[in-house]
Amino acid sequence: MITHAFTPLRRGLLSVSAAAIAWGAGGAAAAELFRISGLGPVAVSFWRFAVAAAVLTAQRPRRPADLRPSPCRRTAVLTGVVLAAYQTAYFGAVQDAGLALGTMMTLGASPVLVSIGAHVVLGERLTKRGAAAMGIALLGLILLVAGPVSGPRPAVGIALALLSAVGYSAVTLHARRTGGATADAATWSAGALCLAPFALAQGVWPRAEHIVASGSWLLFLGVVPTLLAYRWYFAGLSTVRSTTAAVLVLLEPATAAFLAVLLGERISTFLALGSVLLLAAIAVLARDTS
């Protein structure tokens, strides 16, 4: 008889992997929104946060609010602001460098940044297999940058992807250090309020002829790659090491590359080889945690 099929570590690995796949689908949803809605990266991010906040608020009965600020509430608000900044940078990378390269650059750089931060801030040691996975991921990154891209401004897109990677790494390290991080209604509301002025200036309403399709994509983006994915991710970080989580999240660019092909984006040889190496990094890491 088999018992304990899902240990806390295995459950954490599955949670992080599910979040990564959902985020990859979110990048594809954003690329489709850019194509049909006329919305820019800031407006798409605003709606993503606003939908997540609205769904959470509607789920729970209203309780008397404690107006005094608490450390937990301040942390939730700060997390929302950082999430708003790095997710908007990611959407900008998708728009300027293309879905596949923008996603792969963001998540390909993240394991390196998280590993350095985890060693300095959390005292986590990098195993031999973990170091090998990092090296493979870096080689994959080099191939991604070397190949041709489909976006209109690849240099800007790559810069935004790296900025997004810095923000993602900061959130990951903070969540791992606290052990109980979450993204609640305050988090998503803070992000939406932070983005609202810029979204209004950029244009916040989708094109009228595509309002139904745009609304459907925005609802999906706010619920699955945002509300659910971050719930899964923060739950997984309670048992999964920071560097392990960062490499597992390479499932996101692999998902994005697959969906990019379905959306008609041309995948170069360099991009394909880089994707294979990122997946190989996950395979090496999986043996390290088995």
Side-chain angles (χ1 to χ4, degrees), residues 38 45 71 73 96 111 121 143 150 167-168 176 206 232 271 281:
S45 290
R73 181 54 56 88
D96 289 328
V121 178
L143 287 174
S150 60
Y168 163 81
R176 179 61 178 161
W232 297 333
L271 199 57

Side-chain angles (χ1 to χ4, degrees), residues 104-121 124-126 130-142 144 161-162 164-170 172-173 233 241-250 278 281 285:
M104 289 180 184
M105 277 299 303
T106 300
L107 274 300
S110 296
V112 180
L113 298 174
V114 169
S115 178
I116 295 171
H119 177 71
V120 174
V121 178
E124 291 184 3
R125 296 180 60 187
L126 188 63
M134 294 270 294
I136 294 170
L138 277 173
L139 182 56
L141 269 180
I142 293 171
L144 295 180
L162 293 175
S164 180
V166 170
Y168 163 81
S169 302
T172 297
L173 292 170
Y233 184 65
R241 286 162 50 95
S242 303
T243 304
T244 302
V247 177
L248 280 174
V249 170
L250 292 174
L278 294 183
L285 191 69

Side-chain angles (χ1 to χ4, degrees), residues 5-113:
F6 288 98
T7 63
L9 176 58
R10 287 183 179 272
R11 191 176 296 112
L13 293 173
L14 286 173
S15 295
V16 173
S17 299
I21 293 171
W23 286 335
E32 186 66 9
L33 279 165
F34 295 149
R35 186 181 70 84
I36 67 172
S37 69
L39 298 175
V42 179
V44 170
S45 290
F46 164 76
W47 283 116
R48 179 181 190 175
F49 278 72
V51 168
V55 170
L56 272 182
T57 302
Q59 277 183 340
R60 298 174 183 174
R62 195 153 183 86
R63 300 176 184 176
D66 183 359
L67 298 180
R68 293 171 300 175
S70 66
C72 290
R73 181 54 56 88
R74 284 195 294 268
T75 299
V77 170
L78 181 60
T79 300
V81 173
V82 176
L83 285 173
Y86 93 69
Q87 288 181 13
T88 302
Y90 165 62
F91 286 154
V94 168
Q95 187 179 52
D96 289 328
L99 170 59
L101 180 58
T103 305
M104 289 180 184
M105 277 299 303
T106 300
L107 274 300
S110 296
V112 180
L113 298 174

